[in-house]
Amino acid sequence: MASLLPIESAAPRNRRSQQARVSWGAKVVTVGGDAPVRIQSMTNTDTVDGIGTAIQVKELALAGSEMVRITVNTPEAAAAVPRIREQLDRMGIEVPLIGDFHYNGHRLLTDFPDCAQALSKYRINPGNVGKGDKHDKQFGLMIEAALRWDKPVRIGVNWGSLDQELLASLMDENSRRTPPWELKPIMYEALISSALESARRATEIGMSANQIILSCKVSGVQDLVSVYRELARRCEHPLHLGLTEAGMGSKGTVASTAALAILLQEGIGDTIRVSLTPQPGESRTQEVTIACDILQALELRSFVPSVTACPGCGRTTSTTFQELTKSIEDFLRSQMPVWRGKYPGVEKLKVAVMGCIVNGPGESKHADIGISLPGTGEAPAAPVFIDGEKRMTLRGDAIAQEFQKIVENYVESRFGPVVAAAS
């Protein structure tokens, strides 16, 4: 008989980065170090529309975004930022706001101190802070504003807006190599060098290294993996991950998941964003849901109870299990805003909704609570398993409602407060 060999855990390797703090009021979000991987998103409203922007920020925050970035591109937008912050505070939404600056950030942060103070973090793109002699001066003004108001910064490089002078310098240097590099490695090096050199300049001006977050965004999966592996090797700054312009629908979802999962599994990445192009009529919160699902699938974090459900086959021609699965998933998500505060740990609950006798009982036993619906031609009975044991069998037309109530009672009994017995 073959001996049993220990199986290595699939837990990701840890890359220990420095820890930054992004805060507003009593709300402090730690990034890097031992902190969990954080979720970030960005509004697509006109920031000048303060009410509309505040409403979308609230929606993103309630969906799970722990920081929300807003465009600050004009004097009118900068003037609206304090009003947006005030509106969020009135609604009880303490999520930190990040200002996204390009081209004129040095002027806006200087001319609108209320905006600079109301933001919790600044995003600076070194490729868009000025050219020639203006570059260092204007970059310096933004760092000085961050120092004045005690704000962290993300130095966010993007290969669609690379520092052209740096790229030209690297191309010249490459022409003297024997043999010269191909174009793609030069692009990688330009991205990484821009981020690291900008971080070095910021520390020279006086910023603490642990208040600098870096990102080097590209739109290709393999490109992102290659760039971040090298960036992680060469620095200890917290890193923000995300494909830029990931795309729409399944393409954007799959590409973002593929890229982020590889890097996160290797311990690379401290904050993430899924830059999904919303389909017409689709909520902006979809990108947050996908980010949450990625982290939960990798078992890095838990946000909502997970539902295991079979895909269906010829044994499950009925749509009952599909309808029950959707009903349970919708129910769990709708309850989480209340349950999160009332039942600590409920986000780790595992529920199974299975469609026939083949894998149904087994999967249901592996879950905290599960139901195995009858397949085509099987007896019209649905056994319910709780903590690995069969507890009851449901029959009739009200199985969905009965099972939902069973789940609700289970959550209350397992995660609710323990009531001391009367003496």
Side-chain angles (χ1 to χ4, degrees):
M1 179 182 294
S3 61
L4 293 176
L5 299 176
I7 299 174
E8 184 178 350
S9 170
R13 297 188 295 277
N14 290 321
R15 168 190 174 266
R16 183 62 58 85
S17 60
Q18 300 182 63
Q19 190 173 85
R21 295 166 66 85
V22 183
S23 62
W24 179 258
K27 179 75 170 180
V28 178
V29 179
T30 53
V31 176
D34 294 325
V37 178
R38 301 298 188 179
I39 292 175
Q40 185 181 136
S41 57
M42 185 174 185
T43 59
N44 60 357
T45 55
D46 182 352
T47 306
V48 177
D49 176 10
I51 298 298
T53 299
I55 290 172
Q56 190 174 85
V57 170
K58 177 182 178 180
E59 292 170 350
L60 292 167
L62 293 179
S65 184
E66 293 161 293
M67 293 173 278
V68 178
R69 184 157 45 112
I70 61 177
T71 296
V72 187
N73 58 336
T74 64
E76 292 77 14
V81 169
R83 298 196 296 271
I84 294 169
R85 181 72 267 173
E86 290 169 3
Q87 181 68 27
L88 290 168
D89 292 343
R90 283 196 293 270
M91 293 189 292
I93 303 299
E94 294 184 318
V95 63
L97 289 178
I98 302 168
D100 192 62
F101 294 98
H102 299 271
Y103 308 111
N104 59 354
H106 60 289
R107 290 201 304 271
L108 298 178
L109 287 170
T110 301
D111 296 345
F112 294 88
D114 288 348
C115 167
Q117 188 175 16
L119 293 168
S120 297
K121 188 174 77 169
Y122 311 151
R123 185 278 174 106
I124 304 172
N125 182 344
N128 289 337
V129 296
K131 297 180 180 180
D133 295 339
K134 293 181 179 180
H135 182 281
D136 289 354
K137 179 182 178 182
Q138 294 175 179
F139 177 81
L141 288 171
M142 298 183 75
I143 297 300
E144 287 170 4
L147 291 170
R148 185 179 307 117
W149 300 107
D150 192 24
K151 308 294 183 180
V153 300
R154 172 161 70 92
I155 295 174
V157 185
N158 192 306
W159 75 349
S161 52
L162 260 174
D163 183 332
Q164 293 302 302
E165 293 179 5
L166 172 62
L167 182 59
S169 175
L170 290 174
M171 293 288 283
D172 288 342
E173 181 182 332
N174 186 58
S175 67
R176 296 188 290 272
R177 288 192 179 96
T178 304
W181 293 355
E182 295 182 0
L183 178 59
K184 187 164 281 189
I186 299 172
M187 292 286 288
Y188 292 170
E189 183 59 32
L191 286 160
I192 295 166
S193 293
S194 179
L196 295 178
E197 178 61 20
S198 297
R200 185 188 65 78
R201 289 188 188 129
T203 57
E204 287 178 348
I205 294 169
M207 174 154 277
S208 173
N210 65 1
Q211 288 295 80
I212 300 171
I213 299 167
L214 300 183
S215 66
C216 291
K217 288 196 171 184
V218 297
S219 55
V221 172
Q222 296 295 348
D223 297 315
L224 193 82
V225 172
S226 296
V227 167
Y228 272 89
R229 281 174 173 166
E230 182 62 14
L231 181 61
R233 188 184 70 81
R234 288 162 61 174
C235 79
E236 294 182 353
H237 294 288
L239 302 181
H240 171 72
L241 303 184
L243 282 179
T244 185
E245 294 94 33
M248 180 182 285
S250 61
K251 185 270 181 186
T253 301
V254 171
S256 292
T257 302
L260 298 184
I262 292 170
L263 291 167
L264 291 169
Q265 186 68 15
E266 295 179 3
I268 298 172
D270 301 288
T271 72
I272 65 171
R273 183 196 172 198
V274 176
S275 299
L276 198 67
T277 305
Q279 298 194 58
E282 183 179 70
S283 171
R284 186 67 164 182
T285 60
Q286 181 67 10
E287 67 174 46
V288 180
T289 301
I290 294 168
C292 291
D293 288 344
I294 291 171
L295 294 180
Q296 186 148 337
L298 290 170
E299 299 184 4
L300 293 174
R301 296 186 67 181
S302 296
F303 298 94
V304 296
S306 63
V307 179
T308 300
C310 71
C313 66
R315 299 178 65 95
T316 57
T317 52
S318 168
T319 61
T320 302
F321 81 95
Q322 299 167 10
E323 293 162 357
L324 179 57
T325 300
K326 186 176 188 310
S327 171
I328 289 298
E329 284 196 340
D330 291 347
F331 170 70
L332 294 174
R333 287 188 181 276
S334 69
Q335 292 297 105
M336 278 307 292
V338 175
W339 283 0
R340 190 172 287 111
K342 190 176 180 181
Y343 302 123
V346 69
E347 66 276 3
K348 296 182 180 180
L349 176 71
K350 296 184 184 298
V351 180
V353 179
M354 303 299 293
C356 80
I357 200 172
V358 174
N359 292 320
E363 286 284 0
S364 296
K365 289 177 183 178
H366 290 313
D368 296 311
I369 181 169
I371 186 169
S372 178
L373 295 170
T376 304
E378 295 173 6
V384 174
F385 296 82
I386 298 176
D387 295 330
E389 297 181 1
K390 180 180 174 181
R391 297 291 179 86
M392 63 196 75
T393 299
L394 302 182
R395 294 181 174 85
D397 298 329
I399 286 178
Q401 294 85 345
E402 291 178 31
F403 184 65
Q404 182 172 301
K405 185 62 178 177
I406 292 168
V407 171
E408 194 168 14
N409 290 338
Y410 179 84
V411 167
E412 184 175 357
S413 64
R414 177 175 170 183
F415 300 100
V418 177
V419 180
S423 58

